[in-house]
Amino acid sequence: MNVLVINCGSSSLKFQLINAESEKVLAKGICERIGIDGSLTYQAADGEKIKTAKAMPTHTEAIQYVIDALTDTKTGVVKSLDEIGAVGHRLVHGGEKFASSVIITEEVKKAVEECNDLAPLHNPANLIGVNACEELMPGTTMVAVFDTAFHQTMPEKAYMYGLPYEYYEKYKVRRYGFHGTSHSFVSKRAAEIVGKPYDATKTIVCHLGNGASVCAVLNGKSVDTSMGMTPLEGLVMGTRSGDIDPAILEFLAKKENKDIEGLMKVLNKESGVQGVSGLSSDFRDLTNAAAEGNNRAQIALEVFSYRVAKYVGSYAAAMNGVDNIVFTAGIGENDDKVRAEVCSYLGYLGIEINEEANNTRGKEIELSTPDSKVRVFVIPTNEELAIARETLALVK
Ligand code: ADP
């Protein structure tokens, strides 16, 4: 069965058409600047990448262009919509309502809407994508795959904040975690590689992309993760601050004469390695600048890796040990220096890294030596494939 995977944001929509049995990507692309002017970038497997300007006042036009491209007689990969068996949608926040993927019904959409408060930028946009697909592909099964679902197994002690309990009762203020699809995908793969049952392994996943989080996966279940009620908590990221002393907000509000919106913009968009370096959120730029002697770029890189190492250490404590550590996502898959720096803090766990293995990019590889007490891997994440698998499992 072919599954159309949709990741819909407020002004962009990424898609992949995947044959769920062979797991081959038949075509992929992105619609950008929806509601502004609009463009479609489309690439069939083995075909050229084609970018065309298209008027996209709403997401419905965007999806229509995607369908047109997929069924086009020249560049298309299917003859008609009948060859698309289901659509898998990435939804960001499922709150406490969704601990796994579900087939989308009117009730499911209502329940997702009730989580809008928790992800005001993402959930409404995700739902617009669902509605547009329903309009243009009536009768096709739609599945929701949530970023938060994998972490619903976290115990209370990991998800409760040290805040008055009534905020949890009234508003569901608690830790949820994100990147669940990725953490689940790569931790499963790690168990496969080491040849142990998934439900008998202790794995720590470092998903290090522009947004970044660490997850403790104990016996196949997420027991803790570094992002919280929102993706702002935890690691120092591309432009997000991660953990800070909350009292800094009051201090800066007074000093800089900023309101809460202004401060949230600073924490989300102007902080992280971008804020510390004053240069870039991209690790390639930072590594180059640091090599040329840029001190703040160097500090930003050190702050980033140190925070990752601290989370890995705390999750080894939380699970009373660790069998596998996995690096994934843009930085985790590509940046050998960050990986080496993080591992340099973990000698006490008996970790030994093979430098030559670490000197590779973007492919699955074991970094640890045969003597290492913990096995360390790079495993490329593939959230679209994970969504296609979840979708197939529900539709079958
Ligand atoms: P997201 O999905 O959160 O936008 P990605 O997982 O795509 O993020 O990661 C993007 C980041 O990966 C970039 O900002 C960059 O810092 C880093 N990155 C990508 N390629 C490389 C590379 N070759 N070397 C170092 N860092 C890289």
Side-chain angles (χ1 to χ4, degrees), residues 82-203:
D82 297 342
E83 290 178 40
I84 299 177
V87 184
H89 291 270
R90 176 194 180 216
L91 297 197
V92 168
H93 218 307
E96 285 187 328
K97 292 177 200 293
F98 297 101
S100 60
S101 305
V102 287
I103 291 182
I104 299 177
T105 61
E106 286 308 309
E107 288 78 60
V108 165
K109 285 202 280 181
K110 260 200 211 104
V112 173
E113 262 169 36
E114 282 163 23
C115 304
N116 279 1
D117 253 9
L118 295 168
L121 294 180
H122 293 106
N123 269 23
N126 298 159
L127 279 174
I128 288 173
V130 171
N131 288 329
C133 282
E134 283 181 344
E135 189 185 331
L136 297 172
M137 306 172 75
T140 307
T141 307
M142 311 271 157
V143 169
V145 181
F146 298 91
D147 265 27
T148 50
F150 182 59
H151 303 299
Q152 278 299 299
T153 46
M154 279 196 285
E156 267 172 333
K157 63 185 175 189
Y159 72 66
M160 286 305 297
Y161 286 115
L163 288 170
Y165 197 77
E166 63 184 274
Y167 297 145
Y168 171 60
E169 291 175 312
K170 281 202 280 191
Y171 313 121
K172 295 282 172 231
V173 173
R174 52 157 282 180
R175 309 185 62 254
Y176 292 94
F178 298 85
H179 294 138
T181 313
S182 174
H183 287 303
S184 155
F185 180 86
V186 298
S187 57
K188 258 185 214 139
R189 179 68 194 134
E192 257 173 43
I193 300 172
V194 300
K196 288 211 181 125
Y198 189 42
D199 60 7
T201 45
K202 297 175 178 178
T203 300

Side-chain angles (χ1 to χ4, degrees), residues 175 204-206 208 213-216 224-226 234-236 241-245 301-319 322 325 327 338-349 351:
R175 309 185 62 254
I204 296 174
V205 180
C206 306
L208 310 179
S213 66
V214 183
C215 180
D224 207 344
T225 189
S226 58
L235 300 179
V236 176
S241 65
D243 302 336
I244 58 163
D245 178 346
L301 291 168
E302 286 175 15
V303 167
F304 179 86
S305 297
Y306 180 62
R307 181 76 59 91
V308 175
K310 287 209 294 184
Y311 265 100
V312 171
S314 65
Y315 290 166
M319 297 194 288
V322 53
I325 295 176
F327 291 95
V338 165
R339 293 190 303 243
E341 177 86 2
V342 170
C343 291
S344 74
Y345 291 102
L346 306 175
Y348 72 98
L349 290 172
I351 288 179

Side-chain angles (χ1 to χ4, degrees), residues 1-5 17 84-88 137 140-143 391 395:
M1 180 204 294
N2 296 327
V3 174
L4 180 60
V5 176
L17 186 66
I84 299 177
V87 184
M137 306 172 75
T140 307
T141 307
M142 311 271 157
V143 169
T391 304
V395 171

Side-chain angles (χ1 to χ4, degrees), residues 209-211 281-284 329-331 334-335 361:
N210 207 11
S281 62
D282 193 300
F283 276 61
R284 288 160 287 200
I331 299 156
N334 294 298
D335 198 320
R361 290 183 198 294

Side-chain angles (χ1 to χ4, degrees), residues 346-352 369 371-374:
L346 306 175
Y348 72 98
L349 290 172
I351 288 179
E352 282 178 36
T369 64
D371 290 337
S372 181
K373 296 225 165 54
V374 176

